[in-house]
Amino acid sequence: MVDEKDSLKEDILKGNALDIILSLLATSKTARELSRELDIPVFSLQLYINRLINAGLVAIKSMSVNDGKMEKVYMLASKDIDILNYLKDNNVNDNNNRERDIELSAQHFSSLTRQVIKNINHYGDKTYKIKAYFIKTDDETMKGFKKDLEELFAKYQSLENEDATETYGFISVLAPYSMELNQAGKEEE
């Protein structure tokens, strides 16, 4: 028996489910449109969509009959999705799987970040900002900053305009950084 929760987690970690979620963030789409856009066979895509529906992340917006076939239009059930933190929180007791899942999440997060930055070349006349800071400070100070950052994300989300045609990415990572830990990971490879 396949555990659907574990299967959904794998779909997200490998990127397919997250790609569907990101595509639906822009606008509602049919399975055929998603399949074409993401280059995933319709049968596989339907499996991912069904898992996302069962998890309450995707919903059916409408159904119609085209060429004698039932066609569904899918949409996000909510625009407030916090997947990477959800995956981390659901692996609290399993350190081996947590390491693997975090590595896969980091790869996909890196891919999203790279795509956002590459888009600047095509949309250089639009608003953008790229910055990275590394500072030495204590955890108590960072807890206060994290609260400020969460308020900033809430403000960013409140700017949503469903009628707008442009989509912007706002990606943030706040975590301890250790060169020694990064070097140890490279040596294991």
Side-chain angles (χ1 to χ4, degrees):
M1 183 102 182
V2 175
D3 183 341
E4 283 298 308
K5 191 173 181 180
D6 287 343
S7 295
L8 175 62
K9 185 174 76 171
E10 287 297 317
D11 294 347
I12 291 170
L13 289 169
K14 290 179 181 173
N16 295 322
L18 190 55
D19 288 342
I20 291 168
I21 290 168
L22 290 171
S23 180
L24 291 176
L25 186 61
T27 186
S28 303
K29 295 178 182 160
T30 66
R32 199 172 359 166
E33 290 169 329
L34 286 164
S35 172
R36 216 172 309 129
E37 177 184 336
L38 301 174
D39 197 25
I40 299 173
V42 175
F43 181 78
S44 298
L45 184 106
Q46 197 61 57
L47 178 67
Y48 301 138
I49 288 175
N50 290 343
R51 288 182 181 147
L52 289 165
I53 288 172
N54 291 337
L57 298 172
V58 169
I60 298 170
K61 180 178 182 179
S62 64
M63 293 188 281
S64 61
V65 177
N66 289 334
D67 296 327
K69 295 180 183 177
M70 178 65 71
E71 188 168 64
K72 298 174 185 175
V73 177
Y74 300 99
M75 63 183 224
L76 288 183
S78 168
K79 299 268 180 152
D80 188 17
I81 299 174
D82 197 0
I83 298 231
L84 297 177
N85 289 323
Y86 165 82
L87 292 172
K88 178 187 170 288
D89 293 342
N90 280 306
N91 278 331
V92 186
N93 298 322
D94 187 352
N95 201 33
N96 289 336
N97 280 341
R98 185 173 55 214
E99 282 293 322
R100 175 188 60 95
D101 291 354
I102 286 173
E103 180 63 30
L104 286 168
S105 294
Q107 289 174 8
H108 201 70
F109 195 77
S110 169
S111 171
L112 293 173
T113 304
R114 183 172 39 257
Q115 189 59 45
V116 169
I117 292 170
K118 284 172 56 177
N119 283 339
I120 292 169
N121 187 43
H122 299 286
Y123 304 103
D125 60 329
K126 302 293 181 187
T127 304
Y128 71 91
K129 180 78 170 172
I130 300 173
K131 281 256 190 223
Y133 287 104
F134 294 84
I135 62 171
K136 289 186 178 190
T137 190
D138 57 87
D139 192 49
E140 214 44 50
T141 301
M142 287 293 89
K143 285 179 183 174
F145 180 73
K146 181 181 175 196
K147 183 177 178 262
D148 294 344
L149 190 58
E150 287 168 350
E151 290 172 6
L152 182 60
F153 268 104
K155 180 179 179 181
Y156 178 77
Q157 287 177 311
S158 73
L159 301 175
E160 180 91 40
N161 174 357
E162 294 291 334
D163 297 325
T165 58
E166 298 173 354
T167 301
Y168 284 81
F170 178 41
I171 298 171
S172 173
V173 178
L174 174 64
Y177 183 79
S178 168
M179 284 300 292
E180 294 83 22
L181 187 60
N182 291 337
Q183 292 302 323
K186 288 180 183 177
E187 290 169 8
E188 289 175 10
E189 294 175 358

